[in-house]
PDB file of all heavy atoms in Angstrom:
ATOM      1  N   HIS T  95       2.859   6.231  -2.611  1.00  0.00           N
ATOM      2  CA  HIS T  95       4.013   7.024  -3.097  1.00  0.00           C
ATOM      3  C   HIS T  95       3.863   7.334  -4.582  1.00  0.00           C
ATOM      4  O   HIS T  95       4.060   8.473  -5.012  1.00  0.00           O
ATOM      5  CB  HIS T  95       5.301   6.292  -2.842  1.00  0.00           C
ATOM      6  CG  HIS T  95       6.500   6.939  -3.472  1.00  0.00           C
ATOM      7  ND1 HIS T  95       7.052   8.129  -2.988  1.00  0.00           N
ATOM      8  CD2 HIS T  95       7.209   6.640  -4.593  1.00  0.00           C
ATOM      9  CE1 HIS T  95       8.057   8.484  -3.771  1.00  0.00           C
ATOM     10  NE2 HIS T  95       8.151   7.576  -4.755  1.00  0.00           N
ATOM     11  N   GLU T  96       3.530   6.314  -5.387  1.00  0.00           N
ATOM     12  CA  GLU T  96       3.347   6.513  -6.829  1.00  0.00           C
ATOM     13  C   GLU T  96       2.240   7.541  -7.078  1.00  0.00           C
ATOM     14  O   GLU T  96       2.390   8.438  -7.907  1.00  0.00           O
ATOM     15  CB  GLU T  96       2.982   5.217  -7.502  1.00  0.00           C
ATOM     16  CG  GLU T  96       4.129   4.221  -7.592  1.00  0.00           C
ATOM     17  CD  GLU T  96       5.218   4.671  -8.577  1.00  0.00           C
ATOM     18  OE1 GLU T  96       4.876   5.266  -9.600  1.00  0.00           O
ATOM     19  OE2 GLU T  96       6.367   4.398  -8.307  1.00  0.00           O
ATOM     20  N   TRP T  97       1.151   7.419  -6.391  1.00  0.00           N
ATOM     21  CA  TRP T  97       0.010   8.336  -6.587  1.00  0.00           C
ATOM     22  C   TRP T  97       0.414   9.753  -6.241  1.00  0.00           C
ATOM     23  O   TRP T  97       0.124  10.683  -6.996  1.00  0.00           O
ATOM     24  CB  TRP T  97      -1.172   7.876  -5.721  1.00  0.00           C
ATOM     25  CG  TRP T  97      -2.369   8.761  -5.894  1.00  0.00           C
ATOM     26  CD1 TRP T  97      -2.820   9.691  -5.022  1.00  0.00           C
ATOM     27  CD2 TRP T  97      -3.230   8.806  -7.020  1.00  0.00           C
ATOM     28  NE1 TRP T  97      -3.918  10.312  -5.539  1.00  0.00           N
ATOM     29  CE2 TRP T  97      -4.219   9.796  -6.766  1.00  0.00           C
ATOM     30  CE3 TRP T  97      -3.288   8.112  -8.213  1.00  0.00           C
ATOM     31  CZ2 TRP T  97      -5.212  10.100  -7.677  1.00  0.00           C
ATOM     32  CZ3 TRP T  97      -4.295   8.416  -9.135  1.00  0.00           C
ATOM     33  CH2 TRP T  97      -5.235   9.404  -8.840  1.00  0.00           C
ATOM     34  N   LEU T  98       1.073   9.955  -5.133  1.00  0.00           N
ATOM     35  CA  LEU T  98       1.440  11.278  -4.695  1.00  0.00           C
ATOM     36  C   LEU T  98       2.526  11.911  -5.589  1.00  0.00           C
ATOM     37  O   LEU T  98       2.592  13.135  -5.675  1.00  0.00           O
ATOM     38  CB  LEU T  98       1.901  11.257  -3.242  1.00  0.00           C
ATOM     39  CG  LEU T  98       0.797  10.920  -2.236  1.00  0.00           C
ATOM     40  CD1 LEU T  98       1.362  10.770  -0.827  1.00  0.00           C
ATOM     41  CD2 LEU T  98      -0.323  11.932  -2.263  1.00  0.00           C
ATOM     42  N   SER T  99       3.277  11.102  -6.299  1.00  0.00           N
ATOM     43  CA  SER T  99       4.333  11.639  -7.134  1.00  0.00           C
ATOM     44  C   SER T  99       3.824  12.013  -8.534  1.00  0.00           C
ATOM     45  O   SER T  99       4.521  12.664  -9.301  1.00  0.00           O
ATOM     46  CB  SER T  99       5.508  10.681  -7.265  1.00  0.00           C
ATOM     47  OG  SER T  99       5.130   9.543  -8.013  1.00  0.00           O
ATOM     48  N   LEU T 100       2.584  11.643  -8.866  1.00  0.00           N
ATOM     49  CA  LEU T 100       2.052  11.915 -10.192  1.00  0.00           C
ATOM     50  C   LEU T 100       2.014  13.400 -10.509  1.00  0.00           C
ATOM     51  O   LEU T 100       2.370  13.799 -11.624  1.00  0.00           O
ATOM     52  CB  LEU T 100       0.616  11.353 -10.324  1.00  0.00           C
ATOM     53  CG  LEU T 100       0.533   9.874 -10.699  1.00  0.00           C
ATOM     54  CD1 LEU T 100      -0.920   9.439 -10.661  1.00  0.00           C
ATOM     55  CD2 LEU T 100       1.143   9.592 -12.056  1.00  0.00           C
ATOM     56  N   ALA T 101       1.549  14.222  -9.595  1.00  0.00           N
ATOM     57  CA  ALA T 101       1.426  15.652  -9.869  1.00  0.00           C
ATOM     58  C   ALA T 101       2.790  16.237 -10.219  1.00  0.00           C
ATOM     59  O   ALA T 101       2.927  17.038 -11.154  1.00  0.00           O
ATOM     60  CB  ALA T 101       0.808  16.369  -8.683  1.00  0.00           C
ATOM     61  N   GLU T 102       3.815  15.860  -9.465  1.00  0.00           N
ATOM     62  CA  GLU T 102       5.146  16.371  -9.704  1.00  0.00           C
ATOM     63  C   GLU T 102       5.660  15.931 -11.097  1.00  0.00           C
ATOM     64  O   GLU T 102       6.222  16.735 -11.827  1.00  0.00           O
ATOM     65  CB  GLU T 102       6.134  15.884  -8.659  1.00  0.00           C
ATOM     66  CG  GLU T 102       7.533  16.363  -8.822  1.00  0.00           C
ATOM     67  CD  GLU T 102       8.476  15.834  -7.786  1.00  0.00           C
ATOM     68  OE1 GLU T 102       8.056  15.618  -6.645  1.00  0.00           O
ATOM     69  OE2 GLU T 102       9.624  15.566  -8.123  1.00  0.00           O
ATOM     70  N   ARG T 103       5.426  14.688 -11.486  1.00  0.00           N
ATOM     71  CA  ARG T 103       5.830  14.215 -12.777  1.00  0.00           C
ATOM     72  C   ARG T 103       5.090  14.919 -13.907  1.00  0.00           C
ATOM     73  O   ARG T 103       5.678  15.268 -14.920  1.00  0.00           O
ATOM     74  CB  ARG T 103       5.650  12.697 -12.875  1.00  0.00           C
ATOM     75  CG  ARG T 103       6.652  11.981 -11.943  1.00  0.00           C
ATOM     76  CD  ARG T 103       6.592  10.505 -12.083  1.00  0.00           C
ATOM     77  NE  ARG T 103       5.241  10.027 -11.723  1.00  0.00           N
ATOM     78  CZ  ARG T 103       4.893   8.750 -11.664  1.00  0.00           C
ATOM     79  NH1 ARG T 103       5.733   7.806 -11.950  1.00  0.00           N
ATOM     80  NH2 ARG T 103       3.671   8.422 -11.318  1.00  0.00           N
ATOM     81  N   TRP T 104       3.785  15.184 -13.740  1.00  0.00           N
ATOM     82  CA  TRP T 104       3.028  15.947 -14.746  1.00  0.00           C
ATOM     83  C   TRP T 104       3.582  17.365 -14.872  1.00  0.00           C
ATOM     84  O   TRP T 104       3.688  17.877 -15.960  1.00  0.00           O
ATOM     85  CB  TRP T 104       1.537  15.989 -14.374  1.00  0.00           C
ATOM     86  CG  TRP T 104       0.756  14.826 -14.914  1.00  0.00           C
ATOM     87  CD1 TRP T 104       0.307  13.785 -14.199  1.00  0.00           C
ATOM     88  CD2 TRP T 104       0.342  14.613 -16.245  1.00  0.00           C
ATOM     89  NE1 TRP T 104      -0.370  12.908 -15.039  1.00  0.00           N
ATOM     90  CE2 TRP T 104      -0.350  13.424 -16.279  1.00  0.00           C
ATOM     91  CE3 TRP T 104       0.509  15.371 -17.430  1.00  0.00           C
ATOM     92  CZ2 TRP T 104      -0.920  12.914 -17.458  1.00  0.00           C
ATOM     93  CZ3 TRP T 104      -0.054  14.868 -18.591  1.00  0.00           C
ATOM     94  CH2 TRP T 104      -0.747  13.648 -18.608  1.00  0.00           C
ATOM     95  N   GLN T 105       3.898  17.973 -13.744  1.00  0.00           N
ATOM     96  CA  GLN T 105       4.418  19.342 -13.794  1.00  0.00           C
ATOM     97  C   GLN T 105       5.762  19.402 -14.523  1.00  0.00           C
ATOM     98  O   GLN T 105       6.023  20.287 -15.336  1.00  0.00           O
ATOM     99  CB  GLN T 105       4.580  19.909 -12.395  1.00  0.00           C
ATOM    100  CG  GLN T 105       3.252  20.238 -11.745  1.00  0.00           C
ATOM    101  CD  GLN T 105       3.372  20.650 -10.302  1.00  0.00           C
ATOM    102  OE1 GLN T 105       4.406  20.436  -9.672  1.00  0.00           O
ATOM    103  NE2 GLN T 105       2.314  21.223  -9.756  1.00  0.00           N
ATOM    104  N   ARG T 106       6.618  18.425 -14.292  1.00  0.00           N
ATOM    105  CA  ARG T 106       7.936  18.354 -14.988  1.00  0.00           C
ATOM    106  C   ARG T 106       7.723  18.163 -16.491  1.00  0.00           C
ATOM    107  O   ARG T 106       8.377  18.834 -17.310  1.00  0.00           O
ATOM    108  CB  ARG T 106       8.818  17.260 -14.421  1.00  0.00           C
ATOM    109  CG  ARG T 106       9.487  17.614 -13.119  1.00  0.00           C
ATOM    110  CD  ARG T 106      10.668  16.689 -12.820  1.00  0.00           C
ATOM    111  NE  ARG T 106      10.367  15.286 -12.973  1.00  0.00           N
ATOM    112  CZ  ARG T 106       9.979  14.467 -11.972  1.00  0.00           C
ATOM    113  NH1 ARG T 106       9.868  14.945 -10.751  1.00  0.00           N
ATOM    114  NH2 ARG T 106       9.747  13.207 -12.184  1.00  0.00           N
ATOM    115  N   LEU T 107       6.774  17.286 -16.826  1.00  0.00           N
ATOM    116  CA  LEU T 107       6.508  17.057 -18.252  1.00  0.00           C
ATOM    117  C   LEU T 107       5.987  18.311 -18.909  1.00  0.00           C
ATOM    118  O   LEU T 107       6.451  18.727 -19.977  1.00  0.00           O
ATOM    119  CB  LEU T 107       5.507  15.919 -18.423  1.00  0.00           C
ATOM    120  CG  LEU T 107       5.029  15.662 -19.863  1.00  0.00           C
ATOM    121  CD1 LEU T 107       6.199  15.231 -20.739  1.00  0.00           C
ATOM    122  CD2 LEU T 107       3.914  14.658 -19.886  1.00  0.00           C
ATOM    123  N   ALA T 108       5.016  18.961 -18.299  1.00  0.00           N
ATOM    124  CA  ALA T 108       4.422  20.162 -18.864  1.00  0.00           C
ATOM    125  C   ALA T 108       5.478  21.276 -19.008  1.00  0.00           C
ATOM    126  O   ALA T 108       5.486  21.985 -20.018  1.00  0.00           O
ATOM    127  CB  ALA T 108       3.274  20.657 -17.979  1.00  0.00           C
ATOM    128  N   ALA T 109       6.370  21.417 -18.010  1.00  0.00           N
ATOM    129  CA  ALA T 109       7.355  22.453 -18.093  1.00  0.00           C
ATOM    130  C   ALA T 109       8.405  22.169 -19.190  1.00  0.00           C
ATOM    131  O   ALA T 109       9.016  23.099 -19.711  1.00  0.00           O
ATOM    132  CB  ALA T 109       8.070  22.550 -16.726  1.00  0.00           C
ATOM    133  N   SER T 110       8.558  20.881 -19.558  1.00  0.00           N
ATOM    134  CA  SER T 110       9.551  20.548 -20.563  1.00  0.00           C
ATOM    135  C   SER T 110       9.033  20.746 -21.985  1.00  0.00           C
ATOM    136  O   SER T 110       9.815  20.737 -22.949  1.00  0.00           O
ATOM    137  CB  SER T 110       9.980  19.091 -20.395  1.00  0.00           C
ATOM    138  OG  SER T 110       8.993  18.184 -20.810  1.00  0.00           O
ATOM    139  N   LEU T 111       7.717  20.889 -22.180  1.00  0.00           N
ATOM    140  CA  LEU T 111       7.164  21.046 -23.505  1.00  0.00           C
ATOM    141  C   LEU T 111       7.356  22.473 -24.030  1.00  0.00           C
ATOM    142  O   LEU T 111       7.074  23.433 -23.317  1.00  0.00           O
ATOM    143  CB  LEU T 111       5.694  20.698 -23.526  1.00  0.00           C
ATOM    144  CG  LEU T 111       5.350  19.240 -23.202  1.00  0.00           C
ATOM    145  CD1 LEU T 111       3.833  19.083 -23.107  1.00  0.00           C
ATOM    146  CD2 LEU T 111       5.909  18.315 -24.255  1.00  0.00           C
ATOM    147  N   PRO T 112       7.729  22.616 -25.281  1.00  0.00           N
ATOM    148  CA  PRO T 112       7.809  23.973 -25.872  1.00  0.00           C
ATOM    149  C   PRO T 112       6.404  24.571 -25.912  1.00  0.00           C
ATOM    150  O   PRO T 112       5.427  23.869 -26.127  1.00  0.00           O
ATOM    151  CB  PRO T 112       8.348  23.720 -27.298  1.00  0.00           C
ATOM    152  CG  PRO T 112       8.895  22.338 -27.281  1.00  0.00           C
ATOM    153  CD  PRO T 112       8.188  21.583 -26.208  1.00  0.00           C
ATOM    154  N   ASP T 113       6.326  25.889 -25.758  1.00  0.00           N
ATOM    155  CA  ASP T 113       5.015  26.594 -25.804  1.00  0.00           C
ATOM    156  C   ASP T 113       4.277  26.281 -27.115  1.00  0.00           C
ATOM    157  O   ASP T 113       3.055  26.207 -27.102  1.00  0.00           O
ATOM    158  CB  ASP T 113       5.203  28.085 -25.640  1.00  0.00           C
ATOM    159  CG  ASP T 113       5.618  28.468 -24.236  1.00  0.00           C
ATOM    160  OD1 ASP T 113       5.434  27.658 -23.307  1.00  0.00           O
ATOM    161  OD2 ASP T 113       6.126  29.590 -24.065  1.00  0.00           O
ATOM    162  N   ALA T 114       4.996  26.125 -28.207  1.00  0.00           N
ATOM    163  CA  ALA T 114       4.352  25.876 -29.502  1.00  0.00           C
ATOM    164  C   ALA T 114       3.519  24.589 -29.496  1.00  0.00           C
ATOM    165  O   ALA T 114       2.606  24.477 -30.291  1.00  0.00           O
ATOM    166  CB  ALA T 114       5.419  25.817 -30.589  1.00  0.00           C
ATOM    167  N   LEU T 115       3.840  23.672 -28.650  1.00  0.00           N
ATOM    168  CA  LEU T 115       3.097  22.408 -28.599  1.00  0.00           C
ATOM    169  C   LEU T 115       1.776  22.506 -27.855  1.00  0.00           C
ATOM    170  O   LEU T 115       0.935  21.645 -27.970  1.00  0.00           O
ATOM    171  CB  LEU T 115       3.931  21.277 -27.989  1.00  0.00           C
ATOM    172  CG  LEU T 115       5.066  20.761 -28.839  1.00  0.00           C
ATOM    173  CD1 LEU T 115       5.798  19.647 -28.089  1.00  0.00           C
ATOM    174  CD2 LEU T 115       4.592  20.278 -30.184  1.00  0.00           C
ATOM    175  N   ALA T 116       1.561  23.576 -27.108  1.00  0.00           N
ATOM    176  CA  ALA T 116       0.323  23.725 -26.333  1.00  0.00           C
ATOM    177  C   ALA T 116      -0.891  23.674 -27.222  1.00  0.00           C
ATOM    178  O   ALA T 116      -1.919  23.112 -26.850  1.00  0.00           O
ATOM    179  CB  ALA T 116       0.354  24.998 -25.505  1.00  0.00           C
ATOM    180  N   ASP T 117      -0.827  24.238 -28.410  1.00  0.00           N
ATOM    181  CA  ASP T 117      -1.950  24.306 -29.303  1.00  0.00           C
ATOM    182  C   ASP T 117      -1.861  23.362 -30.485  1.00  0.00           C
ATOM    183  O   ASP T 117      -2.751  23.337 -31.315  1.00  0.00           O
ATOM    184  CB  ASP T 117      -2.157  25.729 -29.787  1.00  0.00           C
ATOM    185  CG  ASP T 117      -2.506  26.678 -28.649  1.00  0.00           C
ATOM    186  OD1 ASP T 117      -3.217  26.281 -27.738  1.00  0.00           O
ATOM    187  OD2 ASP T 117      -2.031  27.830 -28.705  1.00  0.00           O
ATOM    188  N   ALA T 118      -0.754  22.628 -30.587  1.00  0.00           N
ATOM    189  CA  ALA T 118      -0.584  21.738 -31.755  1.00  0.00           C
ATOM    190  C   ALA T 118      -1.256  20.415 -31.482  1.00  0.00           C
ATOM    191  O   ALA T 118      -1.262  19.879 -30.357  1.00  0.00           O
ATOM    192  CB  ALA T 118       0.918  21.508 -31.974  1.00  0.00           C
ATOM    193  N   GLY T 119      -1.860  19.841 -32.520  1.00  0.00           N
ATOM    194  CA  GLY T 119      -2.440  18.520 -32.385  1.00  0.00           C
ATOM    195  C   GLY T 119      -1.359  17.456 -32.319  1.00  0.00           C
ATOM    196  O   GLY T 119      -0.642  17.251 -33.294  1.00  0.00           O
ATOM    197  N   LEU T 120      -1.174  16.875 -31.137  1.00  0.00           N
ATOM    198  CA  LEU T 120      -0.074  15.908 -30.936  1.00  0.00           C
ATOM    199  C   LEU T 120      -0.473  14.504 -31.399  1.00  0.00           C
ATOM    200  O   LEU T 120       0.361  13.778 -31.962  1.00  0.00           O
ATOM    201  CB  LEU T 120       0.302  15.851 -29.487  1.00  0.00           C
ATOM    202  CG  LEU T 120       0.822  17.179 -28.888  1.00  0.00           C
ATOM    203  CD1 LEU T 120       1.164  16.993 -27.430  1.00  0.00           C
ATOM    204  CD2 LEU T 120       2.041  17.689 -29.642  1.00  0.00           C
ATOM    205  N   VAL T 121      -1.694  14.130 -31.133  1.00  0.00           N
ATOM    206  CA  VAL T 121      -2.191  12.803 -31.549  1.00  0.00           C
ATOM    207  C   VAL T 121      -3.596  12.981 -32.075  1.00  0.00           C
ATOM    208  O   VAL T 121      -4.281  13.929 -31.788  1.00  0.00           O
ATOM    209  CB  VAL T 121      -2.192  11.790 -30.341  1.00  0.00           C
ATOM    210  CG1 VAL T 121      -0.805  11.506 -29.862  1.00  0.00           C
ATOM    211  CG2 VAL T 121      -3.067  12.294 -29.215  1.00  0.00           C
ATOM    212  N   ARG T 122      -4.034  12.017 -32.874  1.00  0.00           N
ATOM    213  CA  ARG T 122      -5.381  12.035 -33.400  1.00  0.00           C
ATOM    214  C   ARG T 122      -6.192  10.968 -32.740  1.00  0.00           C
ATOM    215  O   ARG T 122      -5.921   9.796 -32.853  1.00  0.00           O
ATOM    216  CB  ARG T 122      -5.396  11.825 -34.920  1.00  0.00           C
ATOM    217  CG  ARG T 122      -6.786  11.899 -35.501  1.00  0.00           C
ATOM    218  CD  ARG T 122      -6.827  12.324 -36.937  1.00  0.00           C
ATOM    219  NE  ARG T 122      -6.159  13.550 -37.258  1.00  0.00           N
ATOM    220  CZ  ARG T 122      -6.664  14.781 -37.064  1.00  0.00           C
ATOM    221  NH1 ARG T 122      -7.820  14.936 -36.529  1.00  0.00           N
ATOM    222  NH2 ARG T 122      -5.982  15.844 -37.443  1.00  0.00           N
ATOM    223  N   HIS T 123      -7.208  11.407 -31.985  1.00  0.00           N
ATOM    224  CA  HIS T 123      -8.113  10.491 -31.306  1.00  0.00           C
ATOM    225  C   HIS T 123      -9.219  10.139 -32.284  1.00  0.00           C
ATOM    226  O   HIS T 123      -9.699  11.002 -33.024  1.00  0.00           O
ATOM    227  CB  HIS T 123      -8.693  11.192 -30.060  1.00  0.00           C
ATOM    228  CG  HIS T 123      -9.518  10.286 -29.230  1.00  0.00           C
ATOM    229  ND1 HIS T 123     -10.860  10.063 -29.501  1.00  0.00           N
ATOM    230  CD2 HIS T 123      -9.233   9.598 -28.101  1.00  0.00           C
ATOM    231  CE1 HIS T 123     -11.339   9.219 -28.593  1.00  0.00           C
ATOM    232  NE2 HIS T 123     -10.370   8.942 -27.736  1.00  0.00           N
ATOM    233  N   PRO T 124      -9.649   8.873 -32.334  1.00  0.00           N
ATOM    234  CA  PRO T 124     -10.643   8.479 -33.337  1.00  0.00           C
ATOM    235  C   PRO T 124     -11.987   9.219 -33.201  1.00  0.00           C
ATOM    236  O   PRO T 124     -12.659   9.412 -34.224  1.00  0.00           O
ATOM    237  CB  PRO T 124     -10.828   6.988 -33.078  1.00  0.00           C
ATOM    238  CG  PRO T 124     -10.066   6.615 -31.877  1.00  0.00           C
ATOM    239  CD  PRO T 124      -9.176   7.762 -31.511  1.00  0.00           C
ATOM    240  N   LEU T 125     -12.340   9.631 -32.033  1.00  0.00           N
ATOM    241  CA  LEU T 125     -13.621  10.368 -31.860  1.00  0.00           C
ATOM    242  C   LEU T 125     -13.431  11.850 -31.627  1.00  0.00           C
ATOM    243  O   LEU T 125     -14.168  12.677 -32.105  1.00  0.00           O
ATOM    244  CB  LEU T 125     -14.422   9.775 -30.708  1.00  0.00           C
ATOM    245  CG  LEU T 125     -14.849   8.301 -30.882  1.00  0.00           C
ATOM    246  CD1 LEU T 125     -15.529   7.785 -29.647  1.00  0.00           C
ATOM    247  CD2 LEU T 125     -15.752   8.166 -32.090  1.00  0.00           C
ATOM    248  N   ALA T 126     -12.405  12.208 -30.836  1.00  0.00           N
ATOM    249  CA  ALA T 126     -12.197  13.598 -30.454  1.00  0.00           C
ATOM    250  C   ALA T 126     -11.403  14.395 -31.477  1.00  0.00           C
ATOM    251  O   ALA T 126     -11.364  15.612 -31.407  1.00  0.00           O
ATOM    252  CB  ALA T 126     -11.510  13.683 -29.085  1.00  0.00           C
ATOM    253  N   GLY T 127     -10.766  13.700 -32.412  1.00  0.00           N
ATOM    254  CA  GLY T 127      -9.917  14.401 -33.374  1.00  0.00           C
ATOM    255  C   GLY T 127      -8.545  14.713 -32.813  1.00  0.00           C
ATOM    256  O   GLY T 127      -8.035  13.982 -31.958  1.00  0.00           O
ATOM    257  N   ALA T 128      -7.935  15.803 -33.253  1.00  0.00           N
ATOM    258  CA  ALA T 128      -6.585  16.177 -32.825  1.00  0.00           C
ATOM    259  C   ALA T 128      -6.612  16.556 -31.353  1.00  0.00           C
ATOM    260  O   ALA T 128      -7.463  17.323 -30.897  1.00  0.00           O
ATOM    261  CB  ALA T 128      -6.065  17.339 -33.666  1.00  0.00           C
ATOM    262  N   VAL T 129      -5.694  15.978 -30.602  1.00  0.00           N
ATOM    263  CA  VAL T 129      -5.593  16.261 -29.168  1.00  0.00           C
ATOM    264  C   VAL T 129      -4.301  17.060 -28.945  1.00  0.00           C
ATOM    265  O   VAL T 129      -3.209  16.643 -29.332  1.00  0.00           O
ATOM    266  CB  VAL T 129      -5.555  14.952 -28.341  1.00  0.00           C
ATOM    267  CG1 VAL T 129      -5.385  15.257 -26.874  1.00  0.00           C
ATOM    268  CG2 VAL T 129      -6.805  14.121 -28.591  1.00  0.00           C
TER     269      VAL T 129
END
Side-chain angles (χ1 to χ4, degrees):
H95 171 74
E96 289 290 325
W97 181 255
L98 293 175
S99 70
L100 276 175
E102 180 182 326
R103 291 184 299 184
W104 271 104
Q105 288 173 345
R106 282 198 311 265
L107 174 64
S110 73
L111 295 174
D113 289 342
L115 288 181
D117 295 324
L120 300 179
V121 295
R122 181 153 307 279
H123 186 278
L125 298 175
V129 178

